[in-house]
Amino acid sequence: MSDFPKAKSKKDWQKKLTKWEYHILIEKGTEPPFSGKYNHYQLPGAYSCKGCGQSLFDSHHKFHSGCGWPSFDQPIKNSIAYRKDTSLKMNRIEILCKQCGIHLGHVFDDGPTHTKKRYCVNSTSLIHNES
């Protein structure tokens, strides 16, 4: 049994996602810096999970970090799951959709706002919904 209520099998994800989306969301890939659709995107609204539609981030919490990926200082309450990630010989915290478990990116403790957090997210894992 999965920790994520809307999780799918790898086979089902392959049917739903493009090869690129599958690489980022399921194989935990990373899109090249400054290449993502939402890196400089500033329209109001919410950012939802590409896998299941769960609301993840509000545009009020998006900021320009200069790191090359969309950055937020906090998620919508109870929308994100966290896992220790020691891949690539690094010690990071991976962020995942709490509903379906797709890989979103990582969270760092170097944000410029009062939260001191920088949720660094792959654009590929998001859908923007205008308000």
Side-chain angles (χ1 to χ4, degrees):
M1 183 170 197
S2 172
D3 294 335
F4 306 102
K6 295 183 179 177
K8 298 179 184 306
S9 69
K10 287 186 176 186
K11 188 175 181 179
D12 286 340
W13 281 123
Q14 285 174 331
K15 290 177 187 174
K16 178 181 172 83
L17 303 171
T18 66
K19 286 183 181 186
W20 178 250
E21 291 168 341
Y22 185 86
H23 171 66
I24 302 296
L25 282 60
I26 308 306
E27 297 178 329
K28 303 178 186 299
T30 301
E31 61 197 16
F34 306 102
S35 68
K37 176 179 180 176
Y38 299 123
N39 187 39
H40 292 290
Y41 208 74
Q42 288 300 103
L43 292 177
Y47 292 84
S48 300
C49 173
K50 177 75 143 245
C52 70
Q54 166 73 31
S55 292
L56 302 170
F57 299 98
D58 188 288
S59 62
H60 290 96
H61 295 284
K62 188 174 189 294
F63 64 93
H64 180 68
S65 68
C67 70
W69 294 274
S71 297
F72 302 86
D73 69 355
Q74 69 183 40
I76 292 172
K77 190 176 181 179
N78 296 319
S79 65
I80 302 290
Y82 302 87
R83 283 203 181 140
K84 185 176 181 177
D85 177 3
T86 57
S87 64
L88 305 176
K89 298 183 181 181
M90 297 159 84
N91 191 14
R92 303 178 291 178
I93 302 297
E94 179 187 12
I95 54 174
L96 305 104
C97 173
K98 199 168 188 177
Q99 290 298 307
C100 69
I102 67 157
H103 172 75
L104 302 170
H106 294 87
V107 61
F108 302 96
D109 292 323
D110 61 3
T113 70
H114 70 282
T115 68
K116 303 294 184 210
K117 299 290 183 189
R118 176 173 53 95
Y119 287 79
C120 187
V121 184
N122 288 296
S123 288
T124 305
S125 65
L126 299 173
I127 298 169
H128 180 260
N129 305 298
E130 289 188 44
S131 59

PDB file of all heavy atoms in Angstrom, residues 87-107:
ATOM      1  N   SER A  87      20.925  11.617  -2.776  1.00  0.00           N
ATOM      2  CA  SER A  87      21.434  11.340  -4.120  1.00  0.00           C
ATOM      3  C   SER A  87      22.435  12.414  -4.538  1.00  0.00           C
ATOM      4  O   SER A  87      22.469  13.503  -3.969  1.00  0.00           O
ATOM      5  CB  SER A  87      20.277  11.270  -5.124  1.00  0.00           C
ATOM      6  OG  SER A  87      19.636  12.524  -5.225  1.00  0.00           O
ATOM      7  N   LEU A  88      23.219  12.102  -5.515  1.00  0.00           N
ATOM      8  CA  LEU A  88      24.231  13.012  -6.059  1.00  0.00           C
ATOM      9  C   LEU A  88      25.216  13.499  -4.996  1.00  0.00           C
ATOM     10  O   LEU A  88      25.730  14.610  -5.068  1.00  0.00           O
ATOM     11  CB  LEU A  88      23.562  14.208  -6.752  1.00  0.00           C
ATOM     12  CG  LEU A  88      22.559  13.893  -7.850  1.00  0.00           C
ATOM     13  CD1 LEU A  88      21.901  15.164  -8.370  1.00  0.00           C
ATOM     14  CD2 LEU A  88      23.226  13.141  -8.992  1.00  0.00           C
ATOM     15  N   LYS A  89      25.403  12.664  -3.961  1.00  0.00           N
ATOM     16  CA  LYS A  89      26.323  12.984  -2.860  1.00  0.00           C
ATOM     17  C   LYS A  89      25.972  14.300  -2.173  1.00  0.00           C
ATOM     18  O   LYS A  89      26.846  15.053  -1.742  1.00  0.00           O
ATOM     19  CB  LYS A  89      27.765  12.990  -3.356  1.00  0.00           C
ATOM     20  CG  LYS A  89      28.218  11.648  -3.885  1.00  0.00           C
ATOM     21  CD  LYS A  89      29.667  11.668  -4.312  1.00  0.00           C
ATOM     22  CE  LYS A  89      30.042  10.297  -4.859  1.00  0.00           C
ATOM     23  NZ  LYS A  89      31.418  10.229  -5.263  1.00  0.00           N
ATOM     24  N   MET A  90      24.671  14.579  -2.092  1.00  0.00           N
ATOM     25  CA  MET A  90      24.182  15.790  -1.438  1.00  0.00           C
ATOM     26  C   MET A  90      23.215  15.394  -0.329  1.00  0.00           C
ATOM     27  O   MET A  90      22.654  14.314  -0.343  1.00  0.00           O
ATOM     28  CB  MET A  90      23.481  16.699  -2.451  1.00  0.00           C
ATOM     29  CG  MET A  90      24.397  17.190  -3.546  1.00  0.00           C
ATOM     30  SD  MET A  90      23.525  17.736  -4.998  1.00  0.00           S
ATOM     31  CE  MET A  90      23.088  19.373  -4.628  1.00  0.00           C
ATOM     32  N   ASN A  91      23.016  16.286   0.614  1.00  0.00           N
ATOM     33  CA  ASN A  91      22.062  16.060   1.689  1.00  0.00           C
ATOM     34  C   ASN A  91      20.943  17.098   1.537  1.00  0.00           C
ATOM     35  O   ASN A  91      21.121  18.255   1.905  1.00  0.00           O
ATOM     36  CB  ASN A  91      22.752  16.195   3.044  1.00  0.00           C
ATOM     37  CG  ASN A  91      21.873  15.724   4.174  1.00  0.00           C
ATOM     38  OD1 ASN A  91      20.861  15.063   3.949  1.00  0.00           O
ATOM     39  ND2 ASN A  91      22.250  16.065   5.392  1.00  0.00           N
ATOM     40  N   ARG A  92      19.818  16.654   0.935  1.00  0.00           N
ATOM     41  CA  ARG A  92      18.719  17.580   0.635  1.00  0.00           C
ATOM     42  C   ARG A  92      17.405  17.006   1.159  1.00  0.00           C
ATOM     43  O   ARG A  92      17.327  15.836   1.531  1.00  0.00           O
ATOM     44  CB  ARG A  92      18.594  17.795  -0.868  1.00  0.00           C
ATOM     45  CG  ARG A  92      19.847  18.311  -1.522  1.00  0.00           C
ATOM     46  CD  ARG A  92      19.705  18.468  -3.008  1.00  0.00           C
ATOM     47  NE  ARG A  92      19.603  17.166  -3.668  1.00  0.00           N
ATOM     48  CZ  ARG A  92      19.433  16.983  -4.966  1.00  0.00           C
ATOM     49  NH1 ARG A  92      19.339  18.030  -5.767  1.00  0.00           N
ATOM     50  NH2 ARG A  92      19.362  15.790  -5.495  1.00  0.00           N
ATOM     51  N   ILE A  93      16.373  17.849   1.106  1.00  0.00           N
ATOM     52  CA  ILE A  93      15.020  17.409   1.433  1.00  0.00           C
ATOM     53  C   ILE A  93      14.194  17.482   0.154  1.00  0.00           C
ATOM     54  O   ILE A  93      13.998  18.567  -0.418  1.00  0.00           O
ATOM     55  CB  ILE A  93      14.369  18.293   2.523  1.00  0.00           C
ATOM     56  CG1 ILE A  93      15.210  18.295   3.807  1.00  0.00           C
ATOM     57  CG2 ILE A  93      12.938  17.822   2.794  1.00  0.00           C
ATOM     58  CD1 ILE A  93      15.337  16.947   4.486  1.00  0.00           C
ATOM     59  N   GLU A  94      13.749  16.322  -0.305  1.00  0.00           N
ATOM     60  CA  GLU A  94      12.901  16.234  -1.489  1.00  0.00           C
ATOM     61  C   GLU A  94      11.471  16.607  -1.102  1.00  0.00           C
ATOM     62  O   GLU A  94      11.009  16.282  -0.006  1.00  0.00           O
ATOM     63  CB  GLU A  94      12.923  14.807  -2.037  1.00  0.00           C
ATOM     64  CG  GLU A  94      12.037  14.614  -3.255  1.00  0.00           C
ATOM     65  CD  GLU A  94      11.925  13.163  -3.691  1.00  0.00           C
ATOM     66  OE1 GLU A  94      12.342  12.264  -2.941  1.00  0.00           O
ATOM     67  OE2 GLU A  94      11.396  12.945  -4.796  1.00  0.00           O
ATOM     68  N   ILE A  95      10.770  17.288  -2.008  1.00  0.00           N
ATOM     69  CA  ILE A  95       9.352  17.580  -1.804  1.00  0.00           C
ATOM     70  C   ILE A  95       8.538  16.812  -2.841  1.00  0.00           C
ATOM     71  O   ILE A  95       8.932  16.709  -4.000  1.00  0.00           O
ATOM     72  CB  ILE A  95       9.047  19.093  -1.831  1.00  0.00           C
ATOM     73  CG1 ILE A  95       9.567  19.757  -3.102  1.00  0.00           C
ATOM     74  CG2 ILE A  95       9.615  19.766  -0.583  1.00  0.00           C
ATOM     75  CD1 ILE A  95       9.177  21.223  -3.250  1.00  0.00           C
ATOM     76  N   LEU A  96       7.425  16.246  -2.357  1.00  0.00           N
ATOM     77  CA  LEU A  96       6.536  15.442  -3.196  1.00  0.00           C
ATOM     78  C   LEU A  96       5.100  15.883  -2.958  1.00  0.00           C
ATOM     79  O   LEU A  96       4.770  16.393  -1.891  1.00  0.00           O
ATOM     80  CB  LEU A  96       6.655  13.957  -2.826  1.00  0.00           C
ATOM     81  CG  LEU A  96       8.046  13.362  -2.864  1.00  0.00           C
ATOM     82  CD1 LEU A  96       8.569  13.197  -1.451  1.00  0.00           C
ATOM     83  CD2 LEU A  96       8.025  12.044  -3.563  1.00  0.00           C
ATOM     84  N   CYS A  97       4.245  15.641  -3.942  1.00  0.00           N
ATOM     85  CA  CYS A  97       2.825  15.880  -3.760  1.00  0.00           C
ATOM     86  C   CYS A  97       2.314  14.896  -2.709  1.00  0.00           C
ATOM     87  O   CYS A  97       2.542  13.690  -2.829  1.00  0.00           O
ATOM     88  CB  CYS A  97       2.066  15.689  -5.071  1.00  0.00           C
ATOM     89  SG  CYS A  97       0.273  15.764  -4.883  1.00  0.00           S
ATOM     90  N   LYS A  98       1.637  15.396  -1.703  1.00  0.00           N
ATOM     91  CA  LYS A  98       1.149  14.539  -0.619  1.00  0.00           C
ATOM     92  C   LYS A  98       0.029  13.604  -1.071  1.00  0.00           C
ATOM     93  O   LYS A  98      -0.241  12.603  -0.431  1.00  0.00           O
ATOM     94  CB  LYS A  98       0.669  15.402   0.549  1.00  0.00           C
ATOM     95  CG  LYS A  98       0.571  14.670   1.849  1.00  0.00           C
ATOM     96  CD  LYS A  98       0.372  15.639   2.987  1.00  0.00           C
ATOM     97  CE  LYS A  98       0.459  14.926   4.310  1.00  0.00           C
ATOM     98  NZ  LYS A  98       0.346  15.871   5.420  1.00  0.00           N
ATOM     99  N   GLN A  99      -0.620  13.916  -2.200  1.00  0.00           N
ATOM    100  CA  GLN A  99      -1.713  13.078  -2.691  1.00  0.00           C
ATOM    101  C   GLN A  99      -1.236  11.948  -3.599  1.00  0.00           C
ATOM    102  O   GLN A  99      -1.626  10.815  -3.437  1.00  0.00           O
ATOM    103  CB  GLN A  99      -2.761  13.928  -3.422  1.00  0.00           C
ATOM    104  CG  GLN A  99      -3.552  14.827  -2.499  1.00  0.00           C
ATOM    105  CD  GLN A  99      -4.334  14.034  -1.479  1.00  0.00           C
ATOM    106  OE1 GLN A  99      -5.088  13.130  -1.821  1.00  0.00           O
ATOM    107  NE2 GLN A  99      -4.147  14.355  -0.215  1.00  0.00           N
ATOM    108  N   CYS A 100      -0.377  12.270  -4.586  1.00  0.00           N
ATOM    109  CA  CYS A 100       0.015  11.240  -5.565  1.00  0.00           C
ATOM    110  C   CYS A 100       1.484  10.848  -5.492  1.00  0.00           C
ATOM    111  O   CYS A 100       1.894   9.873  -6.115  1.00  0.00           O
ATOM    112  CB  CYS A 100      -0.361  11.657  -6.979  1.00  0.00           C
ATOM    113  SG  CYS A 100       0.588  13.042  -7.637  1.00  0.00           S
ATOM    114  N   GLY A 101       2.293  11.602  -4.758  1.00  0.00           N
ATOM    115  CA  GLY A 101       3.681  11.228  -4.552  1.00  0.00           C
ATOM    116  C   GLY A 101       4.662  11.612  -5.639  1.00  0.00           C
ATOM    117  O   GLY A 101       5.815  11.183  -5.600  1.00  0.00           O
ATOM    118  N   ILE A 102       4.248  12.417  -6.622  1.00  0.00           N
ATOM    119  CA  ILE A 102       5.204  12.783  -7.665  1.00  0.00           C
ATOM    120  C   ILE A 102       6.296  13.694  -7.106  1.00  0.00           C
ATOM    121  O   ILE A 102       6.088  14.436  -6.148  1.00  0.00           O
ATOM    122  CB  ILE A 102       4.542  13.441  -8.895  1.00  0.00           C
ATOM    123  CG1 ILE A 102       3.969  14.800  -8.538  1.00  0.00           C
ATOM    124  CG2 ILE A 102       3.523  12.530  -9.545  1.00  0.00           C
ATOM    125  CD1 ILE A 102       3.812  15.717  -9.720  1.00  0.00           C
ATOM    126  N   HIS A 103       7.459  13.634  -7.718  1.00  0.00           N
ATOM    127  CA  HIS A 103       8.599  14.469  -7.356  1.00  0.00           C
ATOM    128  C   HIS A 103       8.335  15.895  -7.836  1.00  0.00           C
ATOM    129  O   HIS A 103       8.028  16.124  -9.003  1.00  0.00           O
ATOM    130  CB  HIS A 103       9.859  13.912  -8.033  1.00  0.00           C
ATOM    131  CG  HIS A 103      11.053  14.772  -7.898  1.00  0.00           C
ATOM    132  ND1 HIS A 103      11.764  14.872  -6.721  1.00  0.00           N
ATOM    133  CD2 HIS A 103      11.673  15.575  -8.795  1.00  0.00           C
ATOM    134  CE1 HIS A 103      12.779  15.702  -6.900  1.00  0.00           C
ATOM    135  NE2 HIS A 103      12.747  16.139  -8.159  1.00  0.00           N
ATOM    136  N   LEU A 104       8.467  16.855  -6.910  1.00  0.00           N
ATOM    137  CA  LEU A 104       8.285  18.263  -7.245  1.00  0.00           C
ATOM    138  C   LEU A 104       9.615  18.996  -7.332  1.00  0.00           C
ATOM    139  O   LEU A 104       9.802  19.854  -8.179  1.00  0.00           O
ATOM    140  CB  LEU A 104       7.401  18.944  -6.190  1.00  0.00           C
ATOM    141  CG  LEU A 104       6.015  18.346  -5.987  1.00  0.00           C
ATOM    142  CD1 LEU A 104       5.352  18.941  -4.757  1.00  0.00           C
ATOM    143  CD2 LEU A 104       5.159  18.561  -7.229  1.00  0.00           C
ATOM    144  N   GLY A 105      10.518  18.681  -6.434  1.00  0.00           N
ATOM    145  CA  GLY A 105      11.796  19.378  -6.356  1.00  0.00           C
ATOM    146  C   GLY A 105      12.378  19.194  -4.969  1.00  0.00           C
ATOM    147  O   GLY A 105      12.284  18.113  -4.382  1.00  0.00           O
ATOM    148  N   HIS A 106      12.933  20.290  -4.407  1.00  0.00           N
ATOM    149  CA  HIS A 106      13.564  20.239  -3.090  1.00  0.00           C
ATOM    150  C   HIS A 106      13.267  21.528  -2.324  1.00  0.00           C
ATOM    151  O   HIS A 106      12.957  22.551  -2.927  1.00  0.00           O
ATOM    152  CB  HIS A 106      15.075  20.065  -3.230  1.00  0.00           C
ATOM    153  CG  HIS A 106      15.453  18.753  -3.818  1.00  0.00           C
ATOM    154  ND1 HIS A 106      15.542  18.561  -5.183  1.00  0.00           N
ATOM    155  CD2 HIS A 106      15.723  17.561  -3.237  1.00  0.00           C
ATOM    156  CE1 HIS A 106      15.866  17.293  -5.412  1.00  0.00           C
ATOM    157  NE2 HIS A 106      15.981  16.672  -4.256  1.00  0.00           N
ATOM    158  N   VAL A 107      13.394  21.461  -1.009  1.00  0.00           N
ATOM    159  CA  VAL A 107      13.234  22.642  -0.170  1.00  0.00           C
ATOM    160  C   VAL A 107      14.565  22.921   0.524  1.00  0.00           C
ATOM    161  O   VAL A 107      15.260  22.001   0.955  1.00  0.00           O
ATOM    162  CB  VAL A 107      12.082  22.497   0.854  1.00  0.00           C
ATOM    163  CG1 VAL A 107      12.305  21.349   1.814  1.00  0.00           C
ATOM    164  CG2 VAL A 107      11.833  23.801   1.600  1.00  0.00           C
TER     165      VAL A 107
END
